[in-house]
Amino acid sequence: LNRKKISALVGVCPYNRDSGHFRGKRCISGGRADIRSVLYMATLAATRFNPVIKAFHKRLKEAGKVPKVAIVACMRKLLTILNAMIKTSQKWKPAMAN
């Protein structure tokens, strides 16, 4: 699957809550809650120990993102990385964190 479909399947893609002139907050919903909860715990560990996700999370927090929003963004990034690894049948090779 591509990154949009895989994030929708797990339930971490943002959906808008707009109606007419009203522009609501974007929130995650739907998907598979059991997979999302496992991914959440894996992301919490990754924000502490994985250099790529840790740098991404730090950059989001420094940009002023709310902590939960930063975690969900890291969840999507981790999910995209894992999907690409499965698609190409490669093992984890950490890139240099910027």
Side-chain angles (χ1 to χ4, degrees), residues 40-50:
Y40 179 80
M41 293 307 292
T43 305
L44 284 181
T47 57
R48 292 181 62 196
F49 301 110
N50 185 319

Side-chain angles (χ1 to χ4, degrees), residues 2-15:
N2 64 19
R3 65 184 173 89
K4 291 182 181 181
K5 288 182 181 178
I6 196 81
S7 66
L9 182 65
V10 175
V12 292
C13 63
Y15 290 108

Side-chain angles (χ1 to χ4, degrees), residues 30-43:
R32 300 184 178 161
D34 52 345
I35 297 173
R36 188 170 53 247
S37 63
V38 170
L39 183 64
Y40 179 80
M41 293 307 292
T43 305

